């Protein structure tokens, strides 16, 4: 039975978020988890986290030991990720406290949490945050149909089918889970973003004779930032373009090597900038930019893209089966064929060839973030948690 926790006719719940490490940096999944917990707490919910500690000393409410992954530990951490050791006593204590258990991942930790939650008769919900291809791209197994298919089935049987409701950040995700016969109720609820009411950014058309083109996101195989570098070989504006890659990750050295080649060959007249930025620094970059490029071919939602373009930046976004980010594009010229550098260059040239056309298009993106306001997502999640307990 729920305890009596009423305010204005709304009772507040004890919600346990489960994630291997909710405090890693440079990882969109962990960032989404922290934001969701923050705004659920602001809404009055009693939320606790079961997780390992962060490198900066941040600790969850229920602390699990940090785990080392043999052979792949270095690669995993470069991706902005880490795993926790399972501890049945700590997990049981956390689960017993909760009204509802929410799973942020489908890994080994969550498999044990499912067993204990069922033993304790506690309802579970989950969020589908990543595809198997996200995991296997870095070890060059993204195209292994049998591996990805078996992983989808493993996640379904060991974690997600134990949930009453699954949050699908996009319709693209929902459709995939339907194809794999996931049994729980599937609700499309965006991960959400903070929709700021500040004045739109005044984007500069050129700075020091260059158009600034920005791409954000972790440097990794599936993010495909290399396609943007390749596109410079085909763009007629390459010698007037300054590239900014905001992120960090394991493919950084490779990307810098490719960028150096473009500079040495004279294709680019100014070296691309590689940086890891906080929110305020990103805003300063967006204010100088003319275009935003999103190259990822595996992306559950891609809120980093929306955060950029809602400021009035025209995007060019890769379209593919396992990326939903192209849903943000408002015209066909803002979508290119995934991994196709020539098509990307064509779309870049289209927007840079006419400043007035680009300004008009940019105005259409101002305020788009309202549709994905995190407060709306929080309201929908709160209802999801209550439905899981009551039904």
């Amino acid at each position: 039975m729920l305890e009596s926790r009423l305010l204005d006719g709304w009772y507040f719940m004890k919600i346990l978020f489960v994630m291997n490490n909710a405090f890693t940096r440079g990882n969109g999944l962990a960032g989404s988890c922290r934001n969701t917990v923050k705004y659920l707490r602001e809404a009055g919910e009693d939320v606790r986290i079961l997780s390992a500690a962060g490198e900066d000393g941040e600790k969850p409410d229920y602390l699990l030991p940090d785990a080392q992954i043999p052979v792949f530990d270095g690669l995993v951490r470069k991706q902005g990720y880490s795993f926790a050791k399972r501890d049945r006593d700590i997990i049981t204590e956390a689960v017993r406290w909760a009204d509802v258990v929410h799973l942020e991942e489908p890994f080994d930790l969550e498999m044990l949490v499912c067993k204990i939650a069922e033993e304790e008769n506690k309802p579970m919900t989950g969020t589908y945050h990543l595809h198997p291809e996200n995991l296997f791209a870095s070890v060059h197994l993204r195209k292994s149909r049998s591996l990805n298919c078996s992983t989808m089935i493993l996640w379904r049987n060991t974690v997600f089918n134990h949930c009453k409701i699954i949050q699908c950040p996009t319709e693209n995700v929902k459709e995939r889970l339907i194809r794999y016969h996931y049994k729980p109720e599937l609700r499309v609820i965006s991960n959400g973003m903070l929709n700021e009411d500040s004045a739109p950014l005044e984007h500069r058309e050129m700075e020091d004779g260059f158009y600034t083109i920005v791409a954000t996101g972790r440097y990794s195989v599936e993010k495909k930032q290399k396609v943007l570098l390749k596109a410079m070989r085909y763009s007629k504006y390459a010698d007037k373009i300054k590239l900014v890659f905001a992120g960090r990750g394991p493919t950084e050295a490779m990307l810098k090597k490719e960028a150096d080649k473009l500079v040495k060959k004279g294709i680019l007249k100014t070296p691309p900038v590689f940086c890891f930025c906080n929110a305020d620094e990103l805003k300063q970059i967006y204010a100088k930019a003319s275009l935003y490029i999103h190259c990822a071919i595996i992306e559950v939602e891609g809120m980093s893209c929306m955060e950029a373009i809602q400021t009035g930046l025209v995007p060019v976004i890769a379209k593919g089966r396992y990326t939903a980010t192209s849903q943000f594009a408002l015209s066909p010229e803002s979508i290119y064929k995934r991994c196709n550098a020539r098509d990307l260059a064509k779309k870049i040239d289209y927007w840079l060839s006419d400043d007035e056309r680009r300004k008009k298009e940019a105005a259409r993106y101002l305020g788009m973030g309202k549709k994905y306001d995190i407060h709306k997502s929080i309201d929908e999640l709160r209802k999801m948690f209550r439905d899981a307990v009551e039904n």
Side-chain angles (χ1 to χ4, degrees):
M1 294 290 292
L2 288 173
E3 296 176 10
S4 177
R5 297 184 290 277
L6 286 169
L7 181 63
D8 297 330
W10 188 268
Y11 60 83
F12 298 100
M13 302 186 68
K14 295 187 291 186
I15 308 165
L16 178 68
F17 268 63
V18 180
M19 184 174 177
N20 275 271
N21 196 313
F23 306 102
T24 54
R25 302 295 170 180
N27 180 291
L29 198 163
S32 175
C33 176
R34 292 194 301 272
N35 281 337
T36 302
V37 168
K38 173 185 175 182
Y39 289 106
L40 281 170
R41 286 171 174 168
E42 287 187 4
E45 305 292 2
D46 190 356
V47 187
R48 296 184 184 180
I49 299 174
L50 171 68
S51 163
E55 293 182 359
D56 296 332
E58 296 170 290
K59 292 184 178 179
D61 305 277
Y62 297 99
L63 177 61
L64 292 170
D66 193 46
Q68 302 292 318
I69 308 300
V71 182
F72 296 107
D73 195 69
L75 177 60
V76 169
R77 292 181 186 276
K78 283 183 179 180
Q79 294 278 14
Y81 207 87
S82 66
F83 286 90
K85 290 182 180 178
R86 307 192 315 176
D87 185 307
R88 177 173 274 273
D89 290 339
I90 295 172
I91 293 172
T92 300
E93 178 188 357
V95 168
R96 284 178 176 170
W97 167 83
D99 293 324
V100 60
V101 177
H102 184 70
L103 309 174
E104 287 281 276
E105 306 156 319
F107 300 141
D108 194 50
L109 168 63
E110 286 76 17
M111 293 175 191
L112 178 57
V113 170
C114 284
K115 292 180 181 178
I116 294 174
E118 289 182 339
E119 290 171 4
E120 299 294 330
N121 198 30
K122 295 299 177 80
M124 288 173 281
T125 58
T127 299
Y128 187 94
H129 274 299
L130 76 166
H131 294 301
E133 291 84 355
N134 285 108
L135 301 180
F136 300 131
S138 294
V139 290
H140 307 289
L141 291 172
R142 173 181 62 84
K143 295 182 180 180
S144 174
R145 181 174 175 81
S146 60
L147 179 61
N148 291 307
C149 181
S150 61
T151 301
M152 285 292 295
I153 294 170
L154 175 68
W155 290 354
R156 181 193 69 192
N157 295 344
T158 60
V159 176
F160 286 115
N161 272 4
H162 295 272
C163 298
K164 286 193 172 183
I165 307 170
I166 300 174
Q167 176 199 356
C168 303
T170 60
E171 286 288 345
N172 179 278
V173 166
K174 181 178 179 179
E175 290 167 5
R176 188 175 197 189
L177 299 194
I178 290 172
R179 288 198 302 271
Y180 278 89
H181 306 291
Y182 278 52
K183 293 181 180 179
E185 179 187 347
L186 305 177
R187 293 192 187 180
V188 178
I189 304 173
S190 171
N191 285 315
M193 54 174 281
L194 187 58
N195 177 48
E196 298 181 359
D197 294 326
S198 56
L201 299 179
E202 291 294 332
H203 299 284
R204 302 176 190 176
E205 294 311 310
M206 295 188 83
E207 184 179 40
D208 299 328
F210 291 96
Y211 292 106
T212 296
I213 293 180
V214 60
T216 62
R218 189 176 71 256
Y219 307 144
S220 59
V221 174
E222 76 275 16
K223 300 299 182 182
K224 291 293 178 184
Q225 291 97 339
K226 189 176 179 179
V227 176
L228 176 53
L229 291 169
K230 286 184 176 180
M232 294 299 97
R233 298 178 182 272
Y234 308 110
S235 172
K236 62 183 179 182
Y237 293 97
D239 61 348
K240 295 181 176 64
I241 289 173
K242 177 182 179 181
L243 297 176
V244 178
F245 294 92
R248 63 181 176 187
T251 63
E252 182 173 354
M254 179 273 291
L255 292 172
K256 287 182 175 179
K257 185 177 179 180
E258 291 297 317
D260 287 343
K261 290 179 183 178
L262 295 174
V263 175
K264 288 178 180 178
K265 291 181 178 181
I267 295 171
L268 292 177
K269 299 300 183 184
T270 185
V273 174
F274 294 85
C275 56
F276 183 70
C277 308
N278 60 34
D280 289 336
E281 290 167 339
L282 280 175
K283 286 181 184 178
Q284 293 176 27
I285 293 172
Y286 297 152
K288 298 177 182 179
S290 297
L291 291 176
Y292 175 87
I293 311 298
H294 198 84
C295 298
I297 60 170
I298 307 167
E299 195 82 86
V300 163
E301 187 169 24
M303 294 311 300
S304 61
C305 176
M306 175 51 65
E307 288 171 357
I309 65 180
Q310 72 157 347
T311 69
L313 262 180
V314 175
V316 182
I317 307 169
K319 183 176 179 62
R321 186 176 186 183
Y322 299 125
T323 173
T325 314
S326 58
Q327 69 180 349
F328 301 141
L330 297 179
S331 69
E333 290 77 21
S334 281
I335 296 174
Y336 77 96
K337 301 172 186 175
R338 66 181 185 90
C339 301
N340 190 318
R342 289 182 185 272
D343 193 35
L344 174 55
K346 179 181 177 181
K347 301 302 170 59
I348 289 173
D349 289 354
Y350 174 85
W351 291 116
L352 293 186
S353 66
D354 189 326
D355 290 345
E356 274 308 307
R357 175 168 59 199
R358 193 172 64 258
K359 285 180 182 178
K360 289 180 181 179
E361 184 73 4
R364 299 176 66 200
Y365 287 92
L366 289 173
M368 267 189 71
K370 292 179 181 178
K371 180 179 178 182
Y372 302 95
D373 191 328
I374 194 168
H375 295 97
K376 293 181 180 179
S377 298
I378 293 301
D379 288 343
E380 293 180 58
L381 287 172
R382 295 175 75 192
K383 185 177 187 306
M384 180 184 79
F385 295 135
R386 280 157 181 77
D387 288 347
V389 171
E390 294 172 354
N391 299 328

